[in-house]
Amino acid sequence: MPNQTNDLLSPRADYYQVFADVDGDDLEWWKTARDYAAWVRPHINEAWEKAEYNVPAVEEAARRGLIRDGIDIEGERPMSIRANRLITLELARCDASTTTAVIVQAGLAMQSINLLGSEEQKKKYLGPMSRMEIRGAFALTEPDHGSDSIALETTATRDGDEWVINGEKKWIGHGSVGHIAVVWARMDDGEVGGFIVDQDQEGYDAETITGKGSLRGIPQAHIKLNNVRVSDDRRLPGARSFRDTAVVLGGTRLGVAWTALGIAIDCYEKALTYATERVQFGRPLIKNQIIQQRLSDMLMDVTAMALYCKRLLELEEAGELSEKQAALAKVHNTRAARRVAANARDMFGGVGILLENDVMRHMADLESLHTYEGTDTIQSLIVGKTITGVSAYR
């Protein structure tokens, strides 16, 4: 068995020592995320079961500096790309809803402003958003346009020094419980623009979507925009086409791959612990060949997922990561995580459906990861286009 080099991942989970070289500030950030996860974990299942958004818990993550997505904030301690990905991994081992809240706030809303906003917009919003004083949403998906979001129908019409926005958005995290929403709309020239819209202004109507069986710990909204007026200084000047929007989405798509890895690690470790302690027919489950084979299968998936993430991290740090590479990682890791969770749930037997064991919650939450930031099918077709040279979807 490989030697353990730090206590954040056991050698049973990091079998190839993929993350054994993490040190310095990156390791300290990872430990900060681990401490936060230990603090918030006792509150997760209750909030998930009641479909409640634990705002104070997310605000605590902000107080610990975790809501940054690697963005430089004046007066705050630096956070590298590597540290940001490890934070995502660690939060996901605890709870996908909390991880999604952080990705929505920092990876989508804050990064839209950071990558495409003016200097004035960055100064006004990024600091307060990193402290969760301003909660933000990323409003792109529409009721009739999910995977084909490039066909969005929401419009922004110029009227003097203002823009008038009309349309609908759906499945928008923080869309009904936030302060601002970065709304994506087609402008008069046919190009796509991003606009910072206050959620309490006239014409912005958001309803929290109920009845979810996945990611119950973060609310998503159906938003209706009826002649919502925003001044031109609320338009993101760097957003001129859907390609600009895709720059933001590329980062969060990779975040989904890291989230899936974190969930898979937690399911694998919990299944291993349970099988070690559970006695059936007079002996521990782990003495059964089928259990050892299943654990080996789970470890193979976890290890492959980690290697995907590590290689893409290297490309991301070098500024060489492509949309297609992120798409392949998202497909691979969400599929693999679903297999790991299903094996873990089965290994727990009847008690596997209880929230107290976490696996059932993870299993349900993975269904959202399988779909959002581009469905499994669409990501596969993005990859398919690159290897065949033929587009199967447009």
Side-chain angles (χ1 to χ4, degrees):
M1 182 176 290
N3 293 324
Q4 183 174 356
T5 55
N6 67 60
D7 60 357
L8 296 179
L9 275 182
S10 75
R12 299 184 306 181
D14 192 9
Y15 205 72
Y16 279 6
Q17 300 183 54
V18 177
F19 302 112
D21 61 346
V22 176
D23 59 10
D25 288 342
D26 295 335
L27 184 60
E28 291 306 310
W29 274 117
W30 193 355
K31 289 178 178 177
T32 299
R34 167 65 62 86
D35 291 343
Y36 170 74
W39 175 84
V40 77
R41 187 179 286 273
H43 312 287
I44 294 300
N45 284 327
E46 181 180 2
W48 194 93
E49 186 171 16
K50 294 180 178 179
E52 294 178 347
Y53 186 33
N54 191 342
V55 175
V58 182
E59 291 175 339
E60 178 63 25
R63 279 190 287 273
R64 300 186 189 212
L66 297 172
I67 301 183
R68 292 268 300 284
D69 203 63
I71 297 171
D72 290 331
I73 304 292
E74 186 176 355
E76 299 293 337
R77 127 194 192 207
M79 177 188 291
S80 70
I81 293 172
R82 181 167 301 213
N84 178 57
R85 295 307 182 194
L86 291 168
I87 288 168
T88 300
L89 162 70
E90 194 59 41
L91 294 183
R93 291 174 72 181
C94 176
D95 176 46
S97 292
T98 302
T99 312
T100 300
V102 173
I103 289 176
V104 166
Q105 178 77 0
L108 289 173
M110 287 176 63
Q111 281 291 9
S112 294
I113 296 171
N114 180 56
L115 295 173
L116 305 172
S118 66
E119 290 304 314
E120 292 76 14
Q121 290 167 343
K122 294 176 188 179
K123 290 178 182 178
K124 179 177 180 180
Y125 291 106
L126 293 182
M129 291 180 77
S130 73
R131 297 186 293 272
M132 287 296 285
E133 295 165 2
I134 297 176
R135 290 193 294 276
F138 179 91
L140 174 64
T141 301
E142 299 180 345
D144 296 323
H145 300 288
S147 296
D148 64 337
S149 56
I150 195 170
L152 84 168
E153 297 180 10
T154 300
T155 60
T157 304
R158 188 71 180 257
D159 184 14
D161 293 331
E162 293 183 322
W163 293 85
V164 182
I165 303 176
N166 285 280
E168 293 187 38
K169 302 293 181 179
K170 196 170 184 180
W171 300 112
I172 310 304
H174 281 172
S176 56
V177 297
H179 301 99
I180 63 170
V182 178
V183 175
W184 300 91
R186 198 166 296 282
M187 300 183 291
D188 298 333
D189 60 3
E191 295 291 356
V192 175
F195 302 84
I196 302 173
V197 177
D198 290 330
Q199 293 189 19
D200 61 357
Q201 71 184 82
E202 185 177 358
Y204 183 101
D205 181 36
E207 180 179 355
T208 298
I209 297 170
T210 60
K212 294 192 304 175
S214 178
L215 289 184
R216 291 172 57 81
I218 178 174
Q220 278 120 353
H222 183 173
I223 302 169
K224 296 181 180 180
L225 302 135
N226 183 22
N227 292 325
V228 174
R229 288 183 170 270
V230 296
S231 57
D232 190 53
D233 62 4
R234 307 293 291 277
R235 180 177 60 85
L236 302 179
R240 295 297 307 172
S241 69
F242 192 80
R243 184 168 297 277
D244 298 318
T245 313
V247 171
V248 181
L249 293 173
T252 54
R253 185 169 294 136
L254 189 53
V256 175
W258 282 87
T259 302
L261 172 60
I263 292 174
I265 288 173
D266 197 54
C267 289
Y268 163 70
E269 289 184 321
K270 281 187 166 57
L272 177 55
T273 298
Y274 181 78
T276 302
E277 298 172 350
R278 177 66 167 171
V279 175
Q280 287 279 50
F281 301 106
R283 64 180 186 171
L285 284 178
I286 55 168
K287 288 192 173 182
N288 291 289
Q289 292 180 355
I290 188 61
I291 294 297
Q292 291 196 14
Q293 182 182 23
R294 282 191 166 189
L295 289 168
S296 296
D297 288 345
M298 295 163 76
L299 179 60
M300 281 187 264
D301 275 328
V302 166
T303 302
M305 294 166 71
L307 290 168
Y308 265 76
C309 285
K310 182 64 175 292
R311 177 55 183 150
L312 264 64
L313 174 62
E314 294 168 349
L315 292 171
E316 188 179 20
E317 290 175 326
E320 299 174 356
L321 180 66
S322 72
E323 173 194 11
K324 293 81 178 177
Q325 290 166 325
L328 184 64
K330 197 269 185 181
V331 170
H332 176 272
N333 281 16
T334 52
R335 285 185 186 178
R338 290 171 96 201
R339 290 193 297 269
V340 172
N343 264 317
R345 180 264 169 274
D346 194 60
M347 205 174 298
F348 267 86
V351 299
I353 67 171
L354 297 177
L355 290 180
E356 65 186 48
N357 293 311
D358 295 327
V359 171
M360 191 71 235
R361 169 170 53 82
H362 283 323
M363 194 173 180
D365 287 344
L366 279 168
E367 292 306 297
S368 290
L369 270 66
H370 181 67
T371 303
Y372 73 21
E373 300 301 331
T375 65
D376 180 280
T377 301
I378 289 297
Q379 300 304 328
S380 297
L381 294 180
I382 289 173
V383 175
K385 180 180 177 180
T386 67
I387 59 181
T388 65
V390 178
S391 174
Y393 56 94
R394 65 182 173 90

